[in-house]
Amino acid sequence: MNPHSSRPTPRPASSEGNVRAKKALGQHFLKDEAIARQIADSLTGLTPHVLEIGPGMGVLTKYLYNREGIDFHAIEIDSESVRYLHDHYPQLHVIEGDFLALDPATLFSQPFAVIGNFPYNISSQILFKVFDNRNRVPEVVGMFQKEVAERVAAKPGSKTYGILSVLLSAFYDIEYLFTVHEHVFNPPPKVKSAVIRLRRNGVTSLECDEELFVKVVKIGFNQRRKTLRNALRQLDRPLDAVPEQFLSLRAEQLSVSDFITLTKSLS
Ligand code: SAH
């Protein structure tokens, strides 16, 4: 990882001096300032420490980094964007690197919020990393593909309810904030986007074997058409203690607390 110390080097500027969008990095730059501000203002300030993932040309960043009392850092994988940010926001602390490879402890000794108009090609991985760091990340505000946002915010019984809905809602209150149309991006993505907010819900422990909980949720949804009786065979654990009513259901019918009860009955 290359810290931000290097001086910006001259670059072959594109026509307007803007960063050229690179598809492989999921770059769709937000053009609409009102939406950018709305996203930035959606952080409720549970912590003054904030990490932005993928600032690009800084459309969200500029509404955040110089707020009073904020301890703001950004991580951006694209060196052209990093150079752009150095040129336009010299006081901004931006790390050139991959968020998925970042050890957050190197940046923050305190809990920190995560914000971004995220690179859509790694949105699930970002959310799994948030889940893994749930005790250090009290708040997330992010733009995702609409479909991912809906999945995360989905409730039991719906077709989109899945692994991330259960894992994240076990520890976060999840709000679907608003939908964003394709034409406010350059280049426009193929799909609509949406902004969601996650806030830690105060649950510190699920009072069951949490590793097994994650495994049960994943196994259940990876074979979502099967009843749990069939899906759970993979676990190689006796199902005798599992409440009968769960065995004939499918994973998408179980709430977080059902999954906790189920996990306990498997331990
Ligand atoms: N926030 C900007 C850019 C959004 S596009 C805007 O709203 O306009 C997504 C951004 O994430 C791009 O700048 C891309 O380079 C960056 N990115 C992609 N993969 C990344 C990763 N693994 N870690 C950090 N940044 C990443």
Side-chain angles (χ1 to χ4, degrees):
M1 210 164 281
N2 176 13
H4 74 306
S5 53
S6 61
R7 295 283 306 153
T9 47
R11 67 200 136 97
S14 64
S15 52
E16 298 148 6
N18 286 342
V19 174
R20 284 155 299 148
K22 298 162 202 76
K23 208 174 166 191
L25 296 178
Q27 289 182 337
H28 297 280
F29 297 112
L30 181 62
K31 296 186 294 186
D32 187 314
E33 294 293 332
I35 295 176
R37 186 191 287 269
Q38 207 180 343
I39 297 172
D41 288 347
S42 298
L43 268 184
T44 64
L46 292 182
T47 163
H49 311 282
V50 175
L51 176 66
E52 182 183 356
I53 303 173
M57 287 187 280
V59 66
L60 301 181
T61 322
K62 62 170 169 289
Y63 296 111
L64 292 164
Y65 81 108
N66 54 8
R67 280 188 180 174
E68 200 163 327
I70 202 168
D71 168 33
F72 186 87
H73 304 267
I75 182 161
E76 170 57 65
I77 204 168
D78 174 36
S79 52
E80 192 186 350
S81 295
V82 172
R83 279 198 302 272
Y84 180 99
L85 293 163
H86 279 157
D87 289 352
H88 291 79
Y89 307 99
Q91 274 147 37
L92 171 71
H93 179 227
V94 52
I95 300 158
E96 183 173 336
D98 176 359
F99 169 69
L100 298 177
L102 175 75
D103 173 2
T106 60
L107 272 182
F108 297 102
S109 52
Q110 305 282 326
F112 60 98
V114 170
I115 189 165
N117 166 17
F118 297 128
Y120 294 168
N121 51 336
I122 57 166
S123 34
S124 301
Q125 292 167 77
I126 290 173
L127 287 165
F128 278 112
K129 184 151 178 166
V130 165
F131 176 76
D132 290 340
N133 285 280
R134 55 194 175 272
N135 291 331
R136 341 179 49 203
V137 180
E139 180 167 23
V140 181
V141 168
M143 179 135 66
F144 295 90
Q145 303 96 303
K146 183 165 185 276
E147 181 236 321
V148 172
E150 282 170 348
R151 259 199 281 143
V152 172
K155 300 280 179 262
S158 84
K159 279 216 164 63
T160 50
Y161 185 61
I163 296 172
L164 280 170
S165 340
V166 179
L167 297 185
L168 290 169
S169 65
F171 292 99
Y172 289 92
D173 293 330
I174 300 168
E175 297 161 272
Y176 185 100
L177 297 183
F178 54 90
T179 304
V180 180
H181 291 267
E182 299 88 315
H183 63 263
V184 301
F185 296 92
N186 183 23
K190 290 207 173 67
V191 292
K192 293 210 187 320
S193 302
V195 177
I196 55 174
R197 177 166 58 207
L198 283 68
R199 275 181 301 176
R200 271 302 254 118
N201 60 9
V203 170
T204 49
S205 146
L206 298 183
E207 283 160 21
C208 67
D209 175 344
E210 290 183 5
E211 240 171 81
L212 183 60
F213 173 84
V214 174
K215 221 168 165 179
V216 168
V217 172
K218 286 185 175 171
I219 284 181
F221 283 103
N222 282 337
Q223 310 177 65
R224 60 186 299 146
R225 310 292 301 272
K226 290 193 180 170
T227 61
L228 288 166
R229 186 192 312 282
N230 290 326
L232 292 173
R233 289 220 170 95
Q234 257 195 41
L235 265 182
D236 250 347
R237 282 172 188 254
L239 303 181
D240 321 349
V242 177
E244 182 59 33
Q245 81 260 25
F246 288 158
L247 290 175
S248 53
L249 296 179
R250 284 173 289 153
E252 67 197 34
Q253 296 169 286
L254 264 56
S255 66
V256 169
S257 68
D258 291 338
F259 271 111
I260 293 171
T261 309
L262 174 60
T263 304
K264 281 185 189 151
S265 73
L266 286 162
S267 318

